[in-house]
Amino acid sequence: MSVLRIEHVTKEFNLTLRQRQKQKTTAKTLVAVNDLSFEAVPGVIYGLLGPNGAGKTTTLRMIASLIKPKSGSIYLDNKEINEDIYEYRKRIGFLTSELKLDGFFTPADTITYMGKLYGMNDEEINMRKNILFRSFGVDKFQNTPIKDLSTGMKQKVSLAISLCHDPDVIIFDEPTNGLDVIAARDVEEFLVNLKKENKIIIISTHIFSLVEKLCDHVGIIISGKLVKDAPLKEIQKEGTLEEVFFKLYEEANVNA
């Protein structure tokens, strides 16, 4: 069974003078992620829950191999991801709010271009395009320049692009961000279907209801530290997810 394993990962960033002044600190570095470990397995949606600035996006960017940790390692199938980073990237799909689409390309052009980068042939690209565009309601707009699409539709195009190569590992940073309630439901239903396909799925969010609706396992991250890592049902034995989160949040601030 495939396993994505994160072991004792730490990431620091250097702070500029302006950043130190803004944050009212003399520290020259910021520890964004601090000795973080967890694993994600097929058929289970792992939710990384935390407030803004907790280290969620930094964690996902390390898992997606966009940045390297200062220490610690990430493994897929017991193989360190940097051993063959290009092969690893073929197996993952990463969606982030930082993804920028070319406004003059159409969704159809963009998914064709990305599919070619992944080494897919025309038949494979067309099959995936039809499945994804139909699932996300992009099919009616597939030949419209991206610059003319709504914010929500652009987000759905980004989702389709990140999944065009049918990856084994799905890494989504705030997957429903910018979507209306109908589009958000489409994305949620698609994630559930991916779970049924035995994909490894990690999503980060600050929305309790999304975690409760979708996730099987939850990691609560506060100030770069994973303060809880357990099945959602086990966490809910202690109270509502919101209650447990704020209890941990208050404890973290007391001990800071």
Side-chain angles (χ1 to χ4, degrees):
M1 180 179 72
S2 293
V3 176
L4 181 66
R5 196 169 74 254
I6 293 84
E7 289 191 353
H8 303 291
V9 166
T10 295
K11 182 63 179 178
E12 294 182 357
F13 294 104
N14 293 325
L15 294 176
T16 65
L17 176 59
R18 179 175 293 181
Q19 288 171 326
R20 295 199 299 271
Q21 291 173 339
K22 185 177 181 179
Q23 297 183 24
K24 298 180 180 179
T25 180
T26 58
K28 294 185 177 180
T29 59
L30 170 68
V31 180
V33 176
N34 191 348
D35 193 29
L36 185 145
S37 299
F38 68 90
E39 67 177 34
V41 298
V44 172
I45 299 181
Y46 188 102
L48 195 61
L49 174 68
N52 292 337
K56 302 188 301 296
T57 296
T58 298
T59 298
L60 295 196
R61 290 179 70 196
M62 287 189 287
I63 295 172
S65 75
L66 297 181
I67 57 175
K68 291 184 177 181
K70 179 183 178 182
S71 59
S73 298
I74 300 169
Y75 300 88
L76 179 60
D77 299 340
N78 292 317
K79 184 176 182 180
E80 212 283 329
I81 64 173
N82 289 308
E83 288 183 26
D84 190 345
I85 198 166
Y86 295 108
E87 187 60 32
Y88 173 72
R89 287 175 177 172
K90 289 179 182 178
R91 297 185 62 188
I92 67 170
F94 180 45
L95 175 72
T96 170
S97 59
E98 297 174 356
L99 178 63
K100 305 301 180 185
L101 303 175
D102 189 317
F104 293 98
F105 270 35
T106 66
D109 293 333
T110 305
I111 203 166
T112 298
Y113 176 76
M114 293 302 298
K116 294 290 186 182
L117 289 181
Y118 282 112
M120 300 168 65
N121 60 42
D122 291 339
E123 184 179 353
E124 291 170 327
I125 292 170
N126 286 330
M127 181 182 70
R128 289 295 294 169
K129 179 179 68 175
N130 290 337
I131 291 171
L132 294 167
F133 282 7
R134 189 166 56 249
S135 297
F136 295 135
V138 178
D139 44 347
K140 296 178 182 178
F141 304 94
Q142 62 179 303
N143 295 313
T144 301
I146 290 172
K147 64 181 177 64
D148 295 330
L149 299 178
S150 67
T151 300
M153 188 57 65
K154 289 176 183 176
Q155 174 77 342
K156 292 198 283 187
V157 173
S158 296
L159 279 162
I161 291 167
S162 65
L163 297 169
C164 72
H165 55 303
D166 196 17
D168 300 321
V169 181
I170 316 298
I171 308 162
F172 281 174
D173 190 8
E174 303 286 359
T176 59
N177 188 39
L179 299 181
D180 62 33
V181 291
I182 296 173
R185 185 186 62 180
D186 291 340
V187 172
E188 291 164 5
E189 289 177 349
F190 197 81
L191 284 169
V192 171
N193 288 332
L194 290 173
K195 171 185 168 180
K196 293 176 182 176
E197 293 176 18
N198 238 24
K199 304 290 187 181
I200 295 174
I201 305 170
I202 302 175
I203 65 172
S204 79
T205 185
H206 62 278
I207 303 172
F208 298 114
S209 60
L210 184 65
V211 174
E212 290 170 327
K213 187 183 296 184
L214 290 181
C215 298
D216 307 286
H217 200 103
V218 183
I220 297 177
I221 183 171
I222 298 172
S223 299
K225 295 182 180 180
L226 200 67
V227 298
K228 193 78 170 180
D229 182 28
L232 176 62
K233 290 182 179 179
E234 291 297 316
I235 293 175
Q236 289 174 326
K237 290 178 181 178
E238 303 174 33
T240 67
L241 181 59
E242 184 174 356
E243 288 170 345
V244 173
F245 172 83
F246 279 109
K247 181 182 177 181
L248 293 167
Y249 183 78
E250 290 166 4
E251 289 174 355
N253 284 335
V254 167
N255 297 324

